[in-house]
Amino acid sequence: MATATLRGEYPLVNIRFEEPSLPVHVELEAYTPLIPLNPEDSGIPCALFTYTLTNTHDQPVQVTLAGSLINPVGGIQLDSFNNISANKNGQSINEFRDTPGLRGLYFHAAGIEPNSLAYGSISLVTDHPTVTVKPAWLRGAWYDYLREFWDDLMADGLLTDLGYMDLPADYKPDTGSLGLVDVLQPGQSKAYRFILAWHFPNRVNSWDVNASKITQNHYATRFTDAWAVADYVSDELPRLESGTYTFHDALFGSTLPPYVLDALSANIVPVRSNTCFWLADGRFFGWEGCFDDKGCCAGSCTHVWSYAHTVAYLFPSLERTMREIEFLVETEPDGYMSFRNFGAFNEQFVWSWGEQKAEAAVDGQMGSILRAYREWQLSGDLNWLRSLWPGIKSAMAYASAHWDQDGDYVLEGRQHNTYDIEFYGPNPLCSIYYLAALRAVEEMAHIMAEPDIAQRCHDALKGGSQRLDTLLWNGEYYIQKFEDIDMHKYQHGAGCLADQLLGQLHAHILGLGDLLPAEHNKSAIKAVFTHNFRQNFHHHTNCQRSYVLNDEAGLILCTWPRGGRPRFPFVYSDEVWTGIEYHVAAHLIYEGWLQEGLTVVEAARQRHDGYRRNPWDEVECGHHYARTMSSWALLLSLTGVQADAGQKRLSFNPVLAAAADP
């Protein structure tokens, strides 16, 4: 085609093709079903491709729409010239099947054990009644296979089955083609659908990709193979399509700015990418992100996932399994919580440099407490909260005993955090997170009828808030207090930390009120915008990873507007992360700085405009990074939604005016 124009409104993508020499106009819509509150049907291993063809000619046109696929079952390998070579496992088998309402190609392989990671199948099918099929392209040397396919198709618009009855002797995978055949009258438009379904049931039951322990993906409990997947999708298509369109139309039909809609929708992607996996026993896990060939940073890392809100609001049942793992498996009797969920696989997280037991992460542990309260609010399931309550109390007690060394309700011990380092002394990120967790535990204690715990948390919050404000407030924002900031490497000292009020953002989302003087919250988050947001990066010095360049705008993790930068500031301090930009923007909006918040979001989306960067892949340490799901906080702040199923209360306080009626 001469041109192709793509419009992406996740989960839908539309491509308009233009080719003046053709008598037909071609459009493609593709998606995987996405239905909020229905993870089962949002996790179907399939993609739907609907091509709409319009006859622009004054005569009837015979059309053949051919879809082709190399059989990947068994593992495709390339030689040094990037030619297809023998399978890693087994011999490919391409079958044509014709069943009531469904016909197409079924790809699998011989010689692979059912419990192997390589075992699986793929289907390329259609509901169109008239098809032409070439189950396997010509097996031969050089590019004979492609020449034969093209000449065959162009001769009469039909495909010839070459009649192979034996498996490929050279163990190379076959390519198969499925053609949809029809006649379009002048001016007629018609839709033609392909369903691509896959079924690879087995996966490693560990964070170690080389482990020998095998389990199954959750979808394997529902479907026996890829044909069963396609059959289900075909039977349920009206419902799956309606649910997907309803969600899409509700989101993209709103009056939210386009760049906000992009931030919200594009960062649904991580939950349906290889960043996340859902096991047969119902447990849901997430890496921090994806490398090209494996997961990045194992363990459903609590200090990264505490930024994320998307899964909790779209698929809350999956999010609840994460809290169950954290408090029922990963929390020890003394309240120590492993911030990487290795205990769930009967393994132990060990740093690569050999430290036998990693520090607990303050922000991750406090974040898990806050998220447990969030999951209670969204579910109203008292039995669920009751099951977690002992672990929540222990985790809170651990924080008070381990990090608050002098009993003033401000943390000053060795505090591991999301920057992969330890802060020392009172600092806003960790201590405000601690105050937010105290406030959440206070509320949960009332629910659990333990007023003594509620009162202790209330008193601790009051004392800690006053003490922290006295210690760390510099008149504009909150700083880290330490006598010699260079005594320990990787601190932030007098710097303006973008994450300083992250605990307060959680409190706003959960309706827990101000943890510190309201005017200080308002000033501090504005200071983050004033000092950390850059309109361009021409003169920015960054010896770390670069996610923003030259004429692009973005929000830096930390700046030192009043001096006092440590000799070696905390790791990543000069970087720009969209996962932090979104939560700062949401907090700005909560505090009344609407335009400043929207400016930050717009800058992030301009960097991911489809030319500079992929709009649906925001990279930090790995692709499809979990922290970017902080973007859902934008919807919460702009709508002012407060949800509490336990109290049977739902309210809204939008800060953007609705569009006027035409």
Side-chain angles (χ1 to χ4, degrees), residues 139-321:
R139 297 170 183 170
W142 294 94
Y143 306 105
D144 296 350
Y145 59 92
L146 190 55
R147 170 54 61 192
E148 194 279 336
F149 164 79
W150 189 247
D151 289 344
D152 181 24
L153 178 63
M154 293 302 292
D156 55 7
L158 301 177
L159 298 170
T160 303
D161 184 347
L162 298 177
Y164 292 123
M165 302 300 294
D166 56 331
L167 301 181
D170 58 6
Y171 285 77
K172 292 180 181 180
D174 284 322
T175 296
S177 294
L178 173 66
L180 284 53
V181 180
D182 207 355
V183 175
L184 288 175
Q185 298 302 317
Q188 183 180 14
S189 292
K190 199 167 183 180
Y192 304 90
R193 181 179 294 110
F194 290 96
I195 300 173
L196 177 65
W198 57 93
H199 186 273
F200 292 85
N202 305 319
R203 68 168 297 116
V204 174
N205 194 24
S206 169
W207 295 105
D208 180 1
V209 296
N210 297 312
S212 59
K213 299 183 293 183
I214 301 296
T215 185
Q216 289 197 318
N217 289 306
H218 181 75
Y219 68 70
T221 65
R222 302 181 61 198
F223 306 111
T224 55
D225 61 13
W227 195 269
V229 175
D231 194 46
Y232 176 84
V233 172
S234 180
D235 288 345
E236 299 292 326
L237 187 58
R239 180 180 59 81
L240 298 174
E241 189 166 79
S242 174
T244 301
Y245 286 176
T246 297
F247 170 65
H248 166 271
D249 294 349
L251 185 60
F252 285 92
S254 74
T255 56
L256 294 172
Y259 48 86
V260 171
L261 293 174
D262 279 347
L264 292 170
S265 60
N267 288 297
I268 300 170
V269 171
V271 70
R272 303 210 298 173
S273 73
N274 290 338
T275 294
C276 298
F277 56 97
W278 189 11
L279 299 184
D281 62 12
R283 293 180 300 166
F284 179 79
F285 296 91
W287 301 82
E288 291 184 28
C290 301
F291 291 136
D292 291 345
D293 58 351
K294 59 184 177 181
C296 162
C297 304
S300 302
C301 178
T302 59
H303 62 59
V304 169
W305 275 84
S306 284
Y307 288 76
H309 301 280
T310 303
V311 181
Y313 287 88
L314 288 182
F315 307 114
S317 62
L318 298 183
E319 189 75 37
R320 287 195 296 273
T321 70

Side-chain angles (χ1 to χ4, degrees), residues 1 5-7 13-18 24-30 49-54 65 189-193:
M1 302 292 187
T5 304
L6 181 149
R7 179 178 179 85
V13 64
N14 180 274
I15 304 177
R16 294 174 59 90
F17 299 96
E18 301 290 346
V24 293
H25 176 264
V26 182
E27 244 182 86
L28 166 65
E29 182 181 76
F49 301 87
T50 302
Y51 290 86
T52 299
L53 274 58
T54 303
L65 185 65
S189 292
K190 199 167 183 180
Y192 304 90
R193 181 179 294 110

